[in-house]
Amino acid sequence: MAASQSSRIGEYITHHLTFLTNKPQTSIIDFSVVNYDTVFFSVLLAVLFAASFYWAARRAVANPGAPRGFQSFVEMIVEFIDNQVKDMFHGTSQLVAPLALTIFCWVFLFNAMDLLPIDLLPDIAGGLGLAHLKVVPSTDLSSVFGLSLTVFLLTIFYSVKVKGPLGFLGELTLRPFSSKNVFVQALFVPINFVLESVTFCARPISLALRLFGNIFAGEMVFALLALLTLLHSFAGLETMSGWAMMLMQAVLTFLWEVFHLLIITIQAFVFMVLTVVYLSMAHEHH
Amino acid sequence: MYINLTLIIQMAVFAVLIWFTMKFVWPPLLEKMQERERRIAQGLAAAGKGEEELKQARAGADTILREARERAGVIVDQAQRSASEILEQARSAATQEGQRLVAAAQQQIELDAARAKEQLRQQVGAIAVAAAAKLLEREIDARAHEALLNEFAAQL
């Protein structure tokens, strides 16, 4: 009994951690494998974001009077992002503010998928004959690295564009140690380069893993709370302990959802803020 | 926990999404919001100015009203004064006219009375002469006794 229970628990968790792919992935990096579920939900949420904000923008253009309903909600977000970006980014850029808006909304929508009942969409997909379904794109490493590497590439692009290739290289090699003596400086260059490039390259990794870790942990807690009643059938409702378990699951899941609301918003915000900060550093001369 | 083609797809979707936001969402929204902000600021400024103007207009109207009232008072005073003057003049003119009429009437009366007296005197004289002639049964030379007759008439 105990062995079958733990194997069912293991099955349930594994089921929730497996992507819907074209073929099983065996090595850690394999670019012939695609996570259909992540791509599907990312694109779906991207379209949702783009369509609704585009609609609000059209409404704002067509109706110059007081904004109403969803339009004012969108304008509130845009104004919030605009103020944040103005606080952190002092250059002039057509890219940074829209980028920040895109990241904040898209990542928030990614994370918000976590608030749906954990088995709802996977069970529906199961009914349609799909073996696995992971609905939260920010719990996919490929997905979060996709975001952070794009930000990373933009950072490099703007660093080179604003400071020139030599300026960018100088930033990587002439700090933090510098000396007026040419020979000492030549000695410092490799040390600086190692230090600075590690710092520089750690950015996309920390950016991606921070988001991934927080949301993945949240999802895992939902899965564990679901386990409270998973092993009981409806027969469990004939006993007091069965009812107690169900009540406990409901209360704990509710509390975790409330707390998670905070986490998903903060993580989306942090991802956005760090992106703006990195791009701001790329635009500034030291 | 694998890295796979999803990463590349995600980067592509992300790039397209950024491009879309940059092109179709952010600029019109922000432009319209800033435009509205400007319009609201202008509206508030205009409202403030309007209020100020209203206050000034009210003060101006008050001044004009007060001046008009003062002038009306002055005009009424003058009118009353000139009315009483005219009344006074008319009264004195009427009094003078009345006195003049009375005087003329008295004069006329005196004249008439004098004329009547004269006639009476003449007639009395004639009657007296006729009476005397009858009494004396003789004719009296009226001319010879004219002085006497006149004296008699004057005593009447």
Side-chain angles (χ1 to χ4, degrees):
Chain A
M1 183 66 188
S4 87
Q5 266 200 9
S6 63
S7 79
R8 276 189 66 191
I9 290 172
E11 248 173 57
Y12 180 77
I13 298 289
T14 315
H15 175 73
H16 270 287
L17 294 184
T18 312
F19 290 98
L20 179 67
T21 50
N22 53 342
K23 62 179 183 182
Q25 187 161 356
T26 46
S27 57
I28 287 181
I29 297 176
D30 182 353
F31 282 106
S32 65
V33 182
V34 181
N35 298 338
Y36 291 132
D37 42 10
T38 300
V39 172
F40 173 76
F41 284 110
S42 307
V43 172
L44 184 77
L45 294 172
V47 168
L48 185 72
F49 160 71
S52 55
F53 274 60
Y54 182 63
W55 179 83
R58 291 287 301 273
R59 265 274 294 268
V61 170
N63 158 35
R68 285 184 297 123
F70 185 70
Q71 189 195 341
S72 33
F73 174 68
V74 166
E75 289 190 2
M76 196 184 78
I77 296 176
V78 167
E79 194 166 12
F80 168 70
I81 302 285
D82 194 41
N83 287 336
Q84 292 292 333
V85 171
K86 271 181 195 154
D87 283 348
M88 290 179 285
F89 184 83
H90 301 296
T92 51
S93 169
Q94 300 294 307
L95 174 87
V96 174
L99 172 67
L101 176 70
T102 312
I103 286 183
F104 180 70
C105 295
W106 206 27
V107 171
F108 178 81
L109 289 172
F110 281 2
N111 298 350
M113 294 298 286
D114 222 356
L115 298 175
L116 293 174
I118 187 164
D119 281 317
L120 180 68
L121 293 177
D123 280 6
I124 291 173
L128 296 173
L130 303 174
H132 301 284
L133 192 73
K134 262 175 79 76
V135 299
V136 189
S138 40
T139 57
D140 183 346
L141 272 182
S142 302
S143 173
V144 289
F145 273 116
L147 297 182
S148 71
L149 284 179
T150 311
V151 172
F152 185 63
L153 292 179
L154 283 171
T155 313
I156 295 175
F157 174 74
Y158 280 106
S159 291
V160 173
K161 190 183 162 196
V162 173
K163 299 161 190 163
L166 285 179
F168 181 48
L169 213 64
E171 212 163 68
L172 288 179
T173 51
L174 302 178
R175 288 179 312 140
F177 303 115
S178 60
S179 167
K180 289 203 170 85
N181 188 316
V182 181
F183 293 105
V184 179
Q185 183 62 51
L187 196 68
F188 280 151
V189 162
I191 302 171
N192 283 339
F193 184 72
V194 169
L195 284 173
E196 283 295 310
S197 50
V198 165
T199 310
F200 196 71
C201 294
R203 281 182 193 171
I205 297 170
S206 70
L207 190 61
L209 290 183
R210 180 181 302 107
L211 175 63
F212 171 80
N214 276 283
I215 307 306
F216 183 78
E219 196 191 26
M220 198 48 80
V221 171
F222 283 124
L224 293 176
L225 289 173
L227 284 175
L228 283 173
T229 52
L230 180 76
L231 303 176
H232 304 281
S233 60
F234 281 110
L237 293 181
E238 289 165 8
T239 62
M240 280 300 284
S241 69
W243 279 96
M245 289 293 244
M246 200 184 73
L247 194 69
M248 196 157 86
Q249 185 193 341
V251 170
L252 289 177
T253 307
F254 171 76
L255 289 178
W256 186 245
E257 290 245 344
V258 172
F259 183 59
H260 209 51
L261 265 177
L262 194 67
I263 293 178
I264 63 172
T265 316
I266 288 174
Q267 286 308 316
F269 180 69
V270 165
F271 203 102
M272 179 205 86
V273 167
L274 286 175
T275 302
V276 175
V277 166
Y278 293 156
L279 283 172
S280 167
M281 284 160 82
H283 279 78
E284 275 166 12
H285 291 272
H286 291 282
Chain B
M1 295 309 107
Y2 300 120
I3 302 292
N4 56 31
L5 188 61
T6 313
L7 185 144
I8 310 293
I9 296 173
Q10 200 76 351
M11 286 174 82
V13 175
F14 189 33
V16 172
L17 197 59
I18 294 169
W19 170 81
F20 184 86
T21 312
M22 225 171 108
K23 194 95 182 163
F24 299 108
V25 175
W26 188 267
L29 261 177
L30 209 69
E31 187 192 325
K32 288 292 152 189
M33 282 163 65
Q34 284 168 348
E35 192 187 304
R36 192 188 304 136
E37 226 165 78
R38 271 200 303 277
R39 271 217 317 273
I40 290 171
Q42 282 170 357
L44 286 176
K49 220 175 91 184
E51 220 165 283
E52 191 58 37
E53 280 174 0
L54 183 68
K55 212 186 282 173
Q56 284 176 355
R58 274 214 186 112
D62 278 356
T63 314
I64 290 171
L65 214 61
R66 206 178 321 114
E67 280 173 6
R69 233 176 251 142
E70 278 169 10
R71 207 179 299 154
V74 169
I75 288 171
V76 167
D77 273 2
Q78 280 178 348
Q80 276 175 346
R81 212 176 302 136
S82 64
S84 61
E85 257 170 38
I86 288 169
L87 207 63
E88 202 55 46
Q89 281 176 359
R91 199 176 286 150
S92 67
T95 313
Q96 281 174 1
E97 181 69 11
Q99 284 172 347
R100 195 181 60 78
L101 282 177
V102 169
Q106 274 179 345
Q107 234 170 351
Q108 190 67 39
I109 291 168
E110 278 169 15
L111 210 64
D112 285 353
R115 203 179 293 142
K117 264 184 198 165
E118 191 60 36
Q119 275 180 352
L120 195 62
R121 202 179 289 142
Q122 285 170 359
Q123 283 173 358
V124 167
I127 291 170
V129 170
K134 284 237 171 99
L135 278 172
L136 296 173
E137 291 280 313
R138 62 168 180 128
E139 206 168 326
I140 295 174
D141 185 2
R143 212 174 293 145
H145 298 285
E146 196 180 356
L148 191 65
L149 283 171
N150 280 349
E151 192 187 340
F152 179 68
Q155 283 173 354
L156 280 172

